[in-house]
Amino acid sequence: MSVEGFWLVFGMLGFAFALAVQMRAMTALVLRRALLARDQDLSQADAGAAVRFAASPKVGEVHPAPTLMRARYLMDTFPRPLAHLRLARRWSLLAPVLLLALLLVRRILDGGL
């Protein structure tokens, strides 16, 4: 891989990481606000728990019934934003690993390890 190609791929991965972090934060914020607008007496922590559970439900995890009902509401009403949130979570965890792997491969290919 040429030096220009390396920096091009590195820059694209860096941009993907920044975009994933931004998308994750903004989508979660909008979903929390949607829950807070629906339930006036809901706390920020409860809304965040419902969004986290709706975005990545874990089998065997115990949640109170109101959290499950709010998560079900989000899953039924906002399926596309939840899919975007899942994708953003995946890439915000994957992109830094790929960036480090790319740097390591470049370092090995240059003979500097």
Side-chain angles (χ1 to χ4, degrees), residues 5-6 16 20 23 26 35 50 56 58 70 75 81 86 88 90 99 101-102 104-105:
F6 166 77
M23 193 165 109
M26 293 303 296
L35 272 180
S56 61
K58 294 188 176 150
R70 291 178 187 117
M75 288 179 204
R86 286 184 203 105
R90 193 173 309 127
L99 282 169
L102 186 65
L104 182 65
V105 166

Side-chain angles (χ1 to χ4, degrees), residues 45-66:
D46 291 340
V51 170
R52 279 190 301 277
F53 183 72
S56 61
K58 294 188 176 150
V59 177
E61 214 174 84
V62 178
H63 288 282

Side-chain angles (χ1 to χ4, degrees), residues 3-20:
V3 174
E4 294 84 15
F6 166 77
W7 287 113
L8 179 67
V9 172
F10 189 81
M12 288 171 43
L13 275 174
F15 180 74
F17 174 67
L19 185 64

Side-chain angles (χ1 to χ4, degrees), residues 2 22 34 37 65 72 77 86 98:
S2 69
Q22 177 192 13
R72 175 56 54 198
T77 310
R86 286 184 203 105
L98 291 176

Side-chain angles (χ1 to χ4, degrees), residues 90-111:
R90 193 173 309 127
W91 273 98
S92 67
L93 296 174
L94 181 65
V97 174
L98 291 176
L99 282 169
L100 289 174
L102 186 65
L103 286 173
L104 182 65
V105 166
R106 183 66 186 180
R107 180 89 181 218
I108 289 171
L109 290 178
D110 285 344

